[in-house]
Structures are given as C-alpha cells and as structure tokens.
Amino acid sequence: MHRDDIEFDSEGTTVRGWLYRPEGTGDVPAVVLAGGWCYVRELVMPYYAEAFAAAGMAALVFDYRNLGSSDGEPRQHLDPWAQIRDYQNALSFLERTDGVDSDRLGAWGISYSGGHVLVLGATDPRVKAIVSQIPVVDGYRNMRRVHGTLGYRRLWQAILEDRRLRAREPGKRTYLPHASESPETELSAWPFPETRRTFAELQRTEAPRYENSSTMESVDLLLNYDVGPFVSRLYDTPTLMLVAEGDDLTLWDLEIESYNRIPTAKKKLAVLPGTSHMTLYSDRAKLTLAADEASRWFAAHLLGHGANPRS
C-alpha cells in the first residue's frame, strides 16, 4: 500500500488528509475515516486505514475543519453538523478520485464520529456500508451521566457564561480541557483521568498535533446532539456497531439502545470482551480486534467477500 497527502474544499475551508491505496490496479472501494472529540488524523486512525488497505480497499483519513492540519477558525471548535458535512465532502472527493469506485464507498467512525457515521449513512445514499465504533449517540444523556448532578451543574453554568460572553463580545469565547487528571476540581468536557493520560501518551508518541482543548461552545453543541432521529432511517445500509464491554464513557447501554432502533436486517452488534472505551486506544491487541472486525465488515459489503449480511 502507499499513502498520499490530499486536500479538498469543505464549505470554503481547506481540509487535509491522507489517502491510503492498496496494491494493484483498477478501481477499488474506499472508506472514509475521521475521529472523535479533538482527534487529529495521526491518532489511532492510521491503524484502521492500513488494515482496510491491506484488505484491498482505499481509505481516506482526514482532519476536520478547525483541527490538526486542516484550516478553519476558531481552532479547536467542534461543530458536529459541520463535521458531518466534512464527511460528505470527503465522499465527494473520493467520487472524483482516480482508482476509486464511487459506487462502493463506506464510512467508519469512532466515539463522536461513531455517531456521525450513523447520521451520514442515514442522510447520504453514497454510503454503502457503515462501521460505528463506541459511538456517542445522545450528547445530553451522555453528559448528564458522566458529569453527575453536581458536575453537570458546573458544566451548565460554564456554558451559560460562555453564551453571555459571545453575545457581549463577539469573537471571544472560552475553552475547557478535553479531559482532566483532576475532574473533581477542574472542569473538562469528558471528566475521566484515564482519557487525559491516554491522549497525553498518544500526543507524545504519535499525534503531536492533538490538543487537550475545545471551545466551550463545542460542549454546548454536544448537548443537542442525538442520532435517534436518524438511526431509524438505516433501513437497507449494512451497519456494524462495535461496543466495548466496559464502556462507561460513551455508555454501552445507550449504544445498544440505538443499535436496536436500526431497522435494517443487514446489521451486526459486536461486543468486544474485556475492553473499555480507552483500551481501544491504549491496548494494541484490542485495537487489532476492532480493526479486524471492521475490515471483515467492509470486505463483505464493499468487496463482496462473504454473502452473509451478518458476517
């Protein structure tokens, strides 16, 4: 396989990524990949892209607008609907890319983007197969659960203060950490010490562009994020959901609830044993297990390797 630097326009902003191509000639299927909260393209996703390329598919990994190598302001601002449009524009880029079969495109997402690809598959018929891994499915319920009552009060007050600041002084905004080592005393979007430690190590070893920060408005937007109205539209799109057995960050029970609302018979739930949300980043054995599941799903539904829709 080989990897090319690419860029494309997304609503007037230059978005940059990597296109992985398998060996050989001829048009091949392609999968588009993007990350979760504050992720940059170097963070874990290349492992999945390489697995898909090894299976005979192209893979496009990109940084959303406002993050990493892509342009866009304000930096570290996460608008989920803008990110979904970045996915759509990545599909449009793949459609006009030589060597890519535009009729065989898939979408992969993890954590926040695990929810994005469910919305994308429901709203964009170009997506012919989906892998949704440990997805965020309901921002409001997720935030209420992980912050707890007192923590959520602090979070809500900070959001209101940010709204007032942006109304009073346009152009100004507040920021908060992605995660904190001391969530009892430091407000963060995702109040888990293991998240902070894992991403700090990934920043040190493979993703130097990662920043432990987002706009406060990003969390405000998360509270209105809900894939519920969209999953019921997935009536004929092959959909694999990968759930970590011990996931209390994006909440395995909410994920399975969403999975059960997907009407297509061409769906599969894979519960990864002995895992948590963060071990799918820190433990390469767990990551390999997830990548293998995803590769088999895309191979079955984009390459035609396996006729069983639940394989």
Side-chain angles (χ1 to χ4, degrees), residues 137-183:
V137 296
D138 184 328
Y140 175 73
R141 285 198 287 170
N142 212 147
M143 289 290 99
R144 288 296 300 266
R145 288 260 292 271
V146 301
H147 283 275
T149 298
L150 295 180
Y152 187 78
R153 289 178 186 174
R154 293 193 295 271
L155 181 68
W156 186 235
Q157 185 59 42
I159 288 170
L160 292 178
E161 290 172 0
D162 179 68
R163 288 182 184 177
R164 295 184 183 108
L165 173 66
R166 288 184 285 112
R168 186 174 63 249
E169 300 182 62
K172 286 195 174 181
R173 56 186 62 239
T174 54
Y175 287 78
L176 82 168
H178 171 186
S180 171
E181 283 272 15
S182 305

mmCIF file of all heavy atoms in Angstrom, residues 137-183:
data_model
loop_
_atom_site.group_PDB
_atom_site.id
_atom_site.type_symbol
_atom_site.label_atom_id
_atom_site.label_comp_id
_atom_site.label_asym_id
_atom_site.label_seq_id
_atom_site.Cartn_x
_atom_site.Cartn_y
_atom_site.Cartn_z
ATOM 1 N N VAL A 137 -24.069 8.706 21.078
ATOM 2 C CA VAL A 137 -25.384 8.656 20.427
ATOM 3 C C VAL A 137 -26.374 9.684 20.973
ATOM 4 O O VAL A 137 -27.335 10.035 20.284
ATOM 5 C CB VAL A 137 -25.991 7.242 20.506
ATOM 6 C CG1 VAL A 137 -25.135 6.246 19.741
ATOM 7 C CG2 VAL A 137 -26.199 6.789 21.943
ATOM 8 N N ASP A 138 -26.149 10.171 22.194
ATOM 9 C CA ASP A 138 -27.068 11.153 22.788
ATOM 10 C C ASP A 138 -26.244 12.044 23.711
ATOM 11 O O ASP A 138 -25.931 11.664 24.837
ATOM 12 C CB ASP A 138 -28.178 10.437 23.552
ATOM 13 C CG ASP A 138 -29.239 11.380 24.111
ATOM 14 O OD1 ASP A 138 -28.897 12.530 24.462
ATOM 15 O OD2 ASP A 138 -30.410 10.969 24.216
ATOM 16 N N GLY A 139 -25.897 13.221 23.217
ATOM 17 C CA GLY A 139 -24.995 14.095 23.957
ATOM 18 C C GLY A 139 -25.532 14.526 25.305
ATOM 19 O O GLY A 139 -24.786 14.571 26.294
ATOM 20 N N TYR A 140 -26.809 14.829 25.362
ATOM 21 C CA TYR A 140 -27.397 15.312 26.615
ATOM 22 C C TYR A 140 -27.352 14.229 27.689
ATOM 23 O O TYR A 140 -26.845 14.447 28.797
ATOM 24 C CB TYR A 140 -28.825 15.774 26.381
ATOM 25 C CG TYR A 140 -29.547 16.186 27.640
ATOM 26 C CD1 TYR A 140 -29.233 17.379 28.277
ATOM 27 C CD2 TYR A 140 -30.534 15.375 28.198
ATOM 28 C CE1 TYR A 140 -29.891 17.764 29.448
ATOM 29 C CE2 TYR A 140 -31.198 15.747 29.350
ATOM 30 C CZ TYR A 140 -30.870 16.940 29.975
ATOM 31 O OH TYR A 140 -31.517 17.299 31.131
ATOM 32 N N ARG A 141 -27.865 13.043 27.362
ATOM 33 C CA ARG A 141 -27.859 11.969 28.354
ATOM 34 C C ARG A 141 -26.438 11.553 28.716
ATOM 35 O O ARG A 141 -26.150 11.230 29.873
ATOM 36 C CB ARG A 141 -28.659 10.766 27.843
ATOM 37 C CG ARG A 141 -30.165 10.985 27.888
ATOM 38 C CD ARG A 141 -30.917 9.674 27.795
ATOM 39 N NE ARG A 141 -30.871 9.107 26.459
ATOM 40 C CZ ARG A 141 -31.280 7.872 26.168
ATOM 41 N NH1 ARG A 141 -31.738 7.067 27.133
ATOM 42 N NH2 ARG A 141 -31.242 7.428 24.925
ATOM 43 N N ASN A 142 -25.547 11.575 27.734
ATOM 44 C CA ASN A 142 -24.149 11.236 27.990
ATOM 45 C C ASN A 142 -23.524 12.209 28.983
ATOM 46 O O ASN A 142 -22.892 11.801 29.973
ATOM 47 C CB ASN A 142 -23.375 11.232 26.679
ATOM 48 C CG ASN A 142 -22.230 10.244 26.633
ATOM 49 O OD1 ASN A 142 -21.905 9.696 25.592
ATOM 50 N ND2 ASN A 142 -21.593 10.003 27.762
ATOM 51 N N MET A 143 -23.697 13.502 28.760
ATOM 52 C CA MET A 143 -23.109 14.497 29.644
ATOM 53 C C MET A 143 -23.728 14.448 31.035
ATOM 54 O O MET A 143 -23.021 14.570 32.048
ATOM 55 C CB MET A 143 -23.259 15.897 29.048
ATOM 56 C CG MET A 143 -22.384 16.158 27.829
ATOM 57 S SD MET A 143 -20.592 16.278 28.197
ATOM 58 C CE MET A 143 -20.048 14.610 27.726
ATOM 59 N N ARG A 144 -25.043 14.263 31.122
ATOM 60 C CA ARG A 144 -25.680 14.178 32.432
ATOM 61 C C ARG A 144 -25.132 12.998 33.233
ATOM 62 O O ARG A 144 -24.894 13.102 34.429
ATOM 63 C CB ARG A 144 -27.198 14.036 32.281
ATOM 64 C CG ARG A 144 -27.927 15.282 31.817
ATOM 65 C CD ARG A 144 -27.831 16.422 32.811
ATOM 66 N NE ARG A 144 -28.379 16.110 34.115
ATOM 67 C CZ ARG A 144 -29.636 16.378 34.504
ATOM 68 N NH1 ARG A 144 -30.480 16.958 33.654
ATOM 69 N NH2 ARG A 144 -30.050 16.089 35.711
ATOM 70 N N ARG A 145 -24.928 11.871 32.560
ATOM 71 C CA ARG A 145 -24.461 10.673 33.241
ATOM 72 C C ARG A 145 -23.000 10.811 33.678
ATOM 73 O O ARG A 145 -22.646 10.498 34.817
ATOM 74 C CB ARG A 145 -24.611 9.446 32.326
ATOM 75 C CG ARG A 145 -26.047 8.977 32.118
ATOM 76 C CD ARG A 145 -26.392 7.781 33.005
ATOM 77 N NE ARG A 145 -25.662 6.591 32.600
ATOM 78 C CZ ARG A 145 -26.099 5.715 31.699
ATOM 79 N NH1 ARG A 145 -27.237 5.914 31.051
ATOM 80 N NH2 ARG A 145 -25.387 4.631 31.425
ATOM 81 N N VAL A 146 -22.119 11.228 32.756
ATOM 82 C CA VAL A 146 -20.695 11.173 33.082
ATOM 83 C C VAL A 146 -20.268 12.296 34.028
ATOM 84 O O VAL A 146 -19.285 12.136 34.775
ATOM 85 C CB VAL A 146 -19.810 11.164 31.813
ATOM 86 C CG1 VAL A 146 -20.150 9.982 30.929
ATOM 87 C CG2 VAL A 146 -19.888 12.464 31.037
ATOM 88 N N HIS A 147 -20.987 13.420 34.020
ATOM 89 C CA HIS A 147 -20.619 14.508 34.930
ATOM 90 C C HIS A 147 -21.292 14.374 36.287
ATOM 91 O O HIS A 147 -20.810 14.951 37.271
ATOM 92 C CB HIS A 147 -20.968 15.865 34.301
ATOM 93 C CG HIS A 147 -20.003 16.319 33.260
ATOM 94 N ND1 HIS A 147 -18.845 16.989 33.553
ATOM 95 C CD2 HIS A 147 -20.007 16.167 31.913
ATOM 96 C CE1 HIS A 147 -18.173 17.249 32.447
ATOM 97 N NE2 HIS A 147 -18.861 16.755 31.435
ATOM 98 N N GLY A 148 -22.400 13.638 36.368
ATOM 99 C CA GLY A 148 -23.141 13.567 37.615
ATOM 100 C C GLY A 148 -23.884 14.866 37.875
ATOM 101 O O GLY A 148 -23.676 15.886 37.201
ATOM 102 N N THR A 149 -24.743 14.864 38.864
ATOM 103 C CA THR A 149 -25.611 16.023 39.096
ATOM 104 C C THR A 149 -24.815 17.291 39.401
ATOM 105 O O THR A 149 -25.023 18.338 38.782
ATOM 106 C CB THR A 149 -26.583 15.727 40.243
ATOM 107 O OG1 THR A 149 -27.413 14.617 39.874
ATOM 108 C CG2 THR A 149 -27.469 16.947 40.524
ATOM 109 N N LEU A 150 -23.885 17.222 40.347
ATOM 110 C CA LEU A 150 -23.149 18.424 40.724
ATOM 111 C C LEU A 150 -22.204 18.860 39.614
ATOM 112 O O LEU A 150 -22.067 20.052 39.330
ATOM 113 C CB LEU A 150 -22.382 18.183 42.021
ATOM 114 C CG LEU A 150 -23.245 17.931 43.264
ATOM 115 C CD1 LEU A 150 -22.351 17.701 44.479
ATOM 116 C CD2 LEU A 150 -24.197 19.092 43.520
ATOM 117 N N GLY A 151 -21.553 17.907 38.976
ATOM 118 C CA GLY A 151 -20.664 18.247 37.875
ATOM 119 C C GLY A 151 -21.417 18.867 36.713
ATOM 120 O O GLY A 151 -20.924 19.807 36.080
ATOM 121 N N TYR A 152 -22.605 18.343 36.446
ATOM 122 C CA TYR A 152 -23.389 18.897 35.341
ATOM 123 C C TYR A 152 -23.847 20.317 35.661
ATOM 124 O O TYR A 152 -23.913 21.163 34.771
ATOM 125 C CB TYR A 152 -24.593 18.011 35.035
ATOM 126 C CG TYR A 152 -25.329 18.465 33.798
ATOM 127 C CD1 TYR A 152 -24.831 18.180 32.525
ATOM 128 C CD2 TYR A 152 -26.503 19.211 33.881
ATOM 129 C CE1 TYR A 152 -25.481 18.612 31.387
ATOM 130 C CE2 TYR A 152 -27.160 19.647 32.749
ATOM 131 C CZ TYR A 152 -26.642 19.341 31.506
ATOM 132 O OH TYR A 152 -27.278 19.776 30.376
ATOM 133 N N ARG A 153 -24.142 20.606 36.915
ATOM 134 C CA ARG A 153 -24.484 21.987 37.291
ATOM 135 C C ARG A 153 -23.338 22.933 36.959
ATOM 136 O O ARG A 153 -23.552 24.030 36.425
ATOM 137 C CB ARG A 153 -24.798 22.066 38.788
ATOM 138 C CG ARG A 153 -26.112 21.427 39.203
ATOM 139 C CD ARG A 153 -26.262 21.536 40.717
ATOM 140 N NE ARG A 153 -27.440 20.808 41.190
ATOM 141 C CZ ARG A 153 -27.741 20.650 42.486
ATOM 142 N NH1 ARG A 153 -26.947 21.180 43.411
ATOM 143 N NH2 ARG A 153 -28.807 19.968 42.829
ATOM 144 N N ARG A 154 -22.109 22.518 37.292
ATOM 145 C CA ARG A 154 -20.936 23.359 36.990
ATOM 146 C C ARG A 154 -20.762 23.516 35.479
ATOM 147 O O ARG A 154 -20.451 24.606 34.989
ATOM 148 C CB ARG A 154 -19.684 22.752 37.616
ATOM 149 C CG ARG A 154 -19.665 22.766 39.140
ATOM 150 C CD ARG A 154 -18.283 22.447 39.690
ATOM 151 N NE ARG A 154 -17.856 21.091 39.365
ATOM 152 C CZ ARG A 154 -18.110 20.023 40.111
ATOM 153 N NH1 ARG A 154 -18.805 20.144 41.235
ATOM 154 N NH2 ARG A 154 -17.658 18.835 39.751
ATOM 155 N N LEU A 155 -20.936 22.421 34.764
ATOM 156 C CA LEU A 155 -20.798 22.475 33.309
ATOM 157 C C LEU A 155 -21.839 23.410 32.710
ATOM 158 O O LEU A 155 -21.521 24.250 31.847
ATOM 159 C CB LEU A 155 -20.952 21.071 32.723
ATOM 160 C CG LEU A 155 -20.816 20.954 31.201
ATOM 161 C CD1 LEU A 155 -19.383 21.230 30.767
ATOM 162 C CD2 LEU A 155 -21.272 19.566 30.725
ATOM 163 N N TRP A 156 -23.073 23.296 33.131
ATOM 164 C CA TRP A 156 -24.149 24.104 32.587
ATOM 165 C C TRP A 156 -23.925 25.593 32.872
ATOM 166 O O TRP A 156 -24.154 26.450 32.009
ATOM 167 C CB TRP A 156 -25.486 23.639 33.152
ATOM 168 C CG TRP A 156 -26.695 24.288 32.576
ATOM 169 C CD1 TRP A 156 -27.681 24.933 33.268
ATOM 170 C CD2 TRP A 156 -27.079 24.364 31.197
ATOM 171 N NE1 TRP A 156 -28.643 25.407 32.404
ATOM 172 C CE2 TRP A 156 -28.299 25.067 31.134
ATOM 173 C CE3 TRP A 156 -26.500 23.910 30.013
ATOM 174 C CZ2 TRP A 156 -28.950 25.338 29.925
ATOM 175 C CZ3 TRP A 156 -27.154 24.167 28.812
ATOM 176 C CH2 TRP A 156 -28.363 24.870 28.783
ATOM 177 N N GLN A 157 -23.446 25.903 34.064
ATOM 178 C CA GLN A 157 -23.159 27.284 34.401
ATOM 179 C C GLN A 157 -22.056 27.841 33.511
ATOM 180 O O GLN A 157 -22.132 28.986 33.037
ATOM 181 C CB GLN A 157 -22.755 27.404 35.872
ATOM 182 C CG GLN A 157 -22.561 28.835 36.352
ATOM 183 C CD GLN A 157 -23.813 29.685 36.198
ATOM 184 O OE1 GLN A 157 -24.924 29.221 36.491
ATOM 185 N NE2 GLN A 157 -23.649 30.917 35.754
ATOM 186 N N ALA A 158 -21.023 27.046 33.247
ATOM 187 C CA ALA A 158 -19.930 27.486 32.379
ATOM 188 C C ALA A 158 -20.414 27.707 30.950
ATOM 189 O O ALA A 158 -19.978 28.653 30.272
ATOM 190 C CB ALA A 158 -18.801 26.455 32.402
ATOM 191 N N ILE A 159 -21.320 26.873 30.473
ATOM 192 C CA ILE A 159 -21.882 27.051 29.128
ATOM 193 C C ILE A 159 -22.667 28.354 29.048
ATOM 194 O O ILE A 159 -22.541 29.119 28.079
ATOM 195 C CB ILE A 159 -22.769 25.845 28.770
ATOM 196 C CG1 ILE A 159 -21.904 24.611 28.507
ATOM 197 C CG2 ILE A 159 -23.636 26.151 27.546
ATOM 198 C CD1 ILE A 159 -22.694 23.324 28.374
ATOM 199 N N LEU A 160 -23.466 28.632 30.068
ATOM 200 C CA LEU A 160 -24.244 29.874 30.070
ATOM 201 C C LEU A 160 -23.336 31.097 30.114
ATOM 202 O O LEU A 160 -23.597 32.105 29.438
ATOM 203 C CB LEU A 160 -25.208 29.881 31.258
ATOM 204 C CG LEU A 160 -26.352 28.869 31.207
ATOM 205 C CD1 LEU A 160 -27.194 28.964 32.475
ATOM 206 C CD2 LEU A 160 -27.228 29.072 29.975
ATOM 207 N N GLU A 161 -22.269 31.017 30.887
ATOM 208 C CA GLU A 161 -21.323 32.139 30.941
ATOM 209 C C GLU A 161 -20.668 32.352 29.582
ATOM 210 O O GLU A 161 -20.450 33.498 29.154
ATOM 211 C CB GLU A 161 -20.277 31.869 32.013
ATOM 212 C CG GLU A 161 -20.825 31.946 33.435
ATOM 213 C CD GLU A 161 -19.827 31.487 34.482
ATOM 214 O OE1 GLU A 161 -18.697 31.113 34.091
ATOM 215 O OE2 GLU A 161 -20.174 31.483 35.680
ATOM 216 N N ASP A 162 -20.361 31.267 28.886
ATOM 217 C CA ASP A 162 -19.769 31.381 27.552
ATOM 218 C C ASP A 162 -20.766 31.991 26.567
ATOM 219 O O ASP A 162 -20.386 32.816 25.727
ATOM 220 C CB ASP A 162 -19.316 30.004 27.072
ATOM 221 C CG ASP A 162 -18.712 30.043 25.679
ATOM 222 O OD1 ASP A 162 -17.624 30.616 25.519
ATOM 223 O OD2 ASP A 162 -19.353 29.513 24.737
ATOM 224 N N ARG A 163 -22.026 31.605 26.651
ATOM 225 C CA ARG A 163 -23.041 32.201 25.774
ATOM 226 C C ARG A 163 -23.112 33.717 25.985
ATOM 227 O O ARG A 163 -23.190 34.490 25.027
ATOM 228 C CB ARG A 163 -24.409 31.586 26.062
ATOM 229 C CG ARG A 163 -24.597 30.160 25.585
ATOM 230 C CD ARG A 163 -26.011 29.693 25.897
ATOM 231 N NE ARG A 163 -26.212 28.292 25.531
ATOM 232 C CZ ARG A 163 -27.343 27.634 25.751
ATOM 233 N NH1 ARG A 163 -28.376 28.254 26.332
ATOM 234 N NH2 ARG A 163 -27.462 26.368 25.397
ATOM 235 N N ARG A 164 -23.076 34.137 27.238
ATOM 236 C CA ARG A 164 -23.151 35.572 27.535
ATOM 237 C C ARG A 164 -21.920 36.302 27.011
ATOM 238 O O ARG A 164 -22.024 37.407 26.459
ATOM 239 C CB ARG A 164 -23.283 35.781 29.044
ATOM 240 C CG ARG A 164 -24.588 35.233 29.633
ATOM 241 C CD ARG A 164 -24.724 35.557 31.115
ATOM 242 N NE ARG A 164 -25.934 34.980 31.670
ATOM 243 C CZ ARG A 164 -25.958 33.927 32.515
ATOM 244 N NH1 ARG A 164 -24.820 33.370 32.893
ATOM 245 N NH2 ARG A 164 -27.103 33.463 32.966
ATOM 246 N N LEU A 165 -20.744 35.683 27.166
ATOM 247 C CA LEU A 165 -19.509 36.296 26.669
ATOM 248 C C LEU A 165 -19.571 36.468 25.163
ATOM 249 O O LEU A 165 -19.228 37.547 24.639
ATOM 250 C CB LEU A 165 -18.308 35.420 27.048
ATOM 251 C CG LEU A 165 -16.968 35.842 26.444
ATOM 252 C CD1 LEU A 165 -16.527 37.193 26.985
ATOM 253 C CD2 LEU A 165 -15.898 34.778 26.722
ATOM 254 N N ARG A 166 -19.991 35.440 24.437
ATOM 255 C CA ARG A 166 -20.022 35.519 22.974
ATOM 256 C C ARG A 166 -21.057 36.524 22.484
ATOM 257 O O ARG A 166 -20.869 37.167 21.445
ATOM 258 C CB ARG A 166 -20.294 34.131 22.374
ATOM 259 C CG ARG A 166 -19.097 33.197 22.512
ATOM 260 C CD ARG A 166 -19.315 31.853 21.846
ATOM 261 N NE ARG A 166 -20.204 30.982 22.591
ATOM 262 C CZ ARG A 166 -21.408 30.611 22.199
ATOM 263 N NH1 ARG A 166 -21.896 31.047 21.044
ATOM 264 N NH2 ARG A 166 -22.156 29.809 22.937
ATOM 265 N N ALA A 167 -22.131 36.702 23.241
ATOM 266 C CA ALA A 167 -23.132 37.708 22.871
ATOM 267 C C ALA A 167 -22.642 39.119 23.163
ATOM 268 O O ALA A 167 -22.883 40.052 22.395
ATOM 269 C CB ALA A 167 -24.432 37.436 23.622
ATOM 270 N N ARG A 168 -21.918 39.254 24.270
ATOM 271 C CA ARG A 168 -21.445 40.564 24.700
ATOM 272 C C ARG A 168 -20.231 41.025 23.910
ATOM 273 O O ARG A 168 -20.103 42.213 23.566
ATOM 274 C CB ARG A 168 -21.106 40.498 26.192
ATOM 275 C CG ARG A 168 -20.738 41.823 26.833
ATOM 276 C CD ARG A 168 -20.558 41.675 28.334
ATOM 277 N NE ARG A 168 -19.463 40.782 28.696
ATOM 278 C CZ ARG A 168 -19.599 39.585 29.271
ATOM 279 N NH1 ARG A 168 -20.807 39.116 29.548
ATOM 280 N NH2 ARG A 168 -18.537 38.855 29.579
ATOM 281 N N GLU A 169 -19.333 40.084 23.612
ATOM 282 C CA GLU A 169 -18.085 40.410 22.920
ATOM 283 C C GLU A 169 -17.867 39.419 21.773
ATOM 284 O O GLU A 169 -17.134 38.434 21.932
ATOM 285 C CB GLU A 169 -16.907 40.359 23.892
ATOM 286 C CG GLU A 169 -17.028 41.321 25.061
ATOM 287 C CD GLU A 169 -15.821 41.268 25.972
ATOM 288 O OE1 GLU A 169 -14.710 41.589 25.488
ATOM 289 O OE2 GLU A 169 -15.979 40.893 27.143
ATOM 290 N N PRO A 170 -18.539 39.652 20.648
ATOM 291 C CA PRO A 170 -18.407 38.720 19.516
ATOM 292 C C PRO A 170 -16.945 38.487 19.158
ATOM 293 O O PRO A 170 -16.136 39.405 19.118
ATOM 294 C CB PRO A 170 -19.151 39.440 18.387
ATOM 295 C CG PRO A 170 -20.144 40.302 19.087
ATOM 296 C CD PRO A 170 -19.464 40.763 20.346
ATOM 297 N N GLY A 171 -16.620 37.234 18.898
ATOM 298 C CA GLY A 171 -15.236 36.875 18.601
ATOM 299 C C GLY A 171 -14.506 36.295 19.788
ATOM 300 O O GLY A 171 -13.496 35.612 19.619
ATOM 301 N N LYS A 172 -15.001 36.576 20.985
ATOM 302 C CA LYS A 172 -14.396 35.996 22.173
ATOM 303 C C LYS A 172 -15.129 34.712 22.547
ATOM 304 O O LYS A 172 -16.314 34.548 22.272
ATOM 305 C CB LYS A 172 -14.435 36.980 23.350
ATOM 306 C CG LYS A 172 -13.437 38.118 23.229
ATOM 307 C CD LYS A 172 -13.272 38.832 24.556
ATOM 308 C CE LYS A 172 -12.161 39.886 24.463
ATOM 309 N NZ LYS A 172 -11.958 40.574 25.765
ATOM 310 N N ARG A 173 -14.413 33.814 23.182
ATOM 311 C CA ARG A 173 -15.011 32.558 23.622
ATOM 312 C C ARG A 173 -14.131 31.938 24.688
ATOM 313 O O ARG A 173 -12.955 32.290 24.829
ATOM 314 C CB ARG A 173 -15.188 31.588 22.449
ATOM 315 C CG ARG A 173 -13.916 31.266 21.678
ATOM 316 C CD ARG A 173 -14.222 30.414 20.463
ATOM 317 N NE ARG A 173 -15.096 31.085 19.532
ATOM 318 C CZ ARG A 173 -16.288 30.627 19.150
ATOM 319 N NH1 ARG A 173 -16.740 29.496 19.638
ATOM 320 N NH2 ARG A 173 -17.022 31.285 18.285
ATOM 321 N N THR A 174 -14.705 31.009 25.423
ATOM 322 C CA THR A 174 -13.937 30.310 26.443
ATOM 323 C C THR A 174 -13.621 28.895 25.964
ATOM 324 O O THR A 174 -14.275 28.352 25.071
ATOM 325 C CB THR A 174 -14.700 30.243 27.778
ATOM 326 O OG1 THR A 174 -15.998 29.669 27.558
ATOM 327 C CG2 THR A 174 -14.856 31.629 28.369
ATOM 328 N N TYR A 175 -12.602 28.319 26.587
ATOM 329 C CA TYR A 175 -12.151 26.968 26.261
ATOM 330 C C TYR A 175 -12.123 26.132 27.543
ATOM 331 O O TYR A 175 -12.043 26.682 28.658
ATOM 332 C CB TYR A 175 -10.750 27.001 25.643
ATOM 333 C CG TYR A 175 -10.725 27.537 24.229
ATOM 334 C CD1 TYR A 175 -10.810 28.913 23.986
ATOM 335 C CD2 TYR A 175 -10.631 26.684 23.138
ATOM 336 C CE1 TYR A 175 -10.798 29.413 22.687
ATOM 337 C CE2 TYR A 175 -10.607 27.166 21.840
ATOM 338 C CZ TYR A 175 -10.704 28.530 21.619
ATOM 339 O OH TYR A 175 -10.704 29.017 20.341
ATOM 340 N N LEU A 176 -12.174 24.837 27.368
ATOM 341 C CA LEU A 176 -12.011 23.927 28.501
ATOM 342 C C LEU A 176 -11.247 22.693 28.034
ATOM 343 O O LEU A 176 -11.217 22.394 26.837
ATOM 344 C CB LEU A 176 -13.347 23.553 29.130
ATOM 345 C CG LEU A 176 -14.196 22.433 28.508
ATOM 346 C CD1 LEU A 176 -15.317 22.061 29.465
ATOM 347 C CD2 LEU A 176 -14.748 22.805 27.166
ATOM 348 N N PRO A 177 -10.630 21.961 28.953
ATOM 349 C CA PRO A 177 -9.877 20.776 28.545
ATOM 350 C C PRO A 177 -10.781 19.688 27.960
ATOM 351 O O PRO A 177 -11.947 19.558 28.345
ATOM 352 C CB PRO A 177 -9.229 20.294 29.851
ATOM 353 C CG PRO A 177 -9.258 21.470 30.760
ATOM 354 C CD PRO A 177 -10.481 22.247 30.392
ATOM 355 N N HIS A 178 -10.232 18.914 27.047
ATOM 356 C CA HIS A 178 -10.892 17.693 26.591
ATOM 357 C C HIS A 178 -11.122 16.783 27.796
ATOM 358 O O HIS A 178 -12.241 16.303 28.020
ATOM 359 C CB HIS A 178 -9.988 17.022 25.545
ATOM 360 C CG HIS A 178 -10.413 15.658 25.117
ATOM 361 N ND1 HIS A 178 -9.639 14.883 24.281
ATOM 362 C CD2 HIS A 178 -11.502 14.910 25.389
ATOM 363 C CE1 HIS A 178 -10.237 13.724 24.048
ATOM 364 N NE2 HIS A 178 -11.362 13.713 24.722
ATOM 365 N N ALA A 179 -10.078 16.532 28.569
ATOM 366 C CA ALA A 179 -10.157 15.693 29.763
ATOM 367 C C ALA A 179 -9.165 16.197 30.786
ATOM 368 O O ALA A 179 -8.234 16.933 30.467
ATOM 369 C CB ALA A 179 -9.868 14.232 29.417
ATOM 370 N N SER A 180 -9.377 15.783 32.040
ATOM 371 C CA SER A 180 -8.551 16.285 33.133
ATOM 372 C C SER A 180 -8.102 15.139 34.024
ATOM 373 O O SER A 180 -8.832 14.162 34.226
ATOM 374 C CB SER A 180 -9.347 17.295 33.969
ATOM 375 O OG SER A 180 -8.644 17.648 35.143
ATOM 376 N N GLU A 181 -6.887 15.274 34.572
ATOM 377 C CA GLU A 181 -6.409 14.333 35.585
ATOM 378 C C GLU A 181 -7.152 14.510 36.909
ATOM 379 O O GLU A 181 -7.181 13.607 37.738
ATOM 380 C CB GLU A 181 -4.914 14.535 35.816
ATOM 381 C CG GLU A 181 -4.019 13.946 34.743
ATOM 382 C CD GLU A 181 -3.662 12.494 35.020
ATOM 383 O OE1 GLU A 181 -4.324 11.869 35.868
ATOM 384 O OE2 GLU A 181 -2.726 11.999 34.385
ATOM 385 N N SER A 182 -7.757 15.706 37.104
ATOM 386 C CA SER A 182 -8.432 16.012 38.374
ATOM 387 C C SER A 182 -9.833 16.528 38.102
ATOM 388 O O SER A 182 -10.131 17.715 38.301
ATOM 389 C CB SER A 182 -7.625 17.053 39.160
ATOM 390 O OG SER A 182 -6.288 16.630 39.348
ATOM 391 N N PRO A 183 -10.739 15.659 37.632
ATOM 392 C CA PRO A 183 -12.074 16.132 37.262
ATOM 393 C C PRO A 183 -12.880 16.661 38.447
ATOM 394 O O PRO A 183 -13.848 17.406 38.241
ATOM 395 C CB PRO A 183 -12.728 14.883 36.661
ATOM 396 C CG PRO A 183 -11.965 13.726 37.217
ATOM 397 C CD PRO A 183 -10.570 14.216 37.385
#
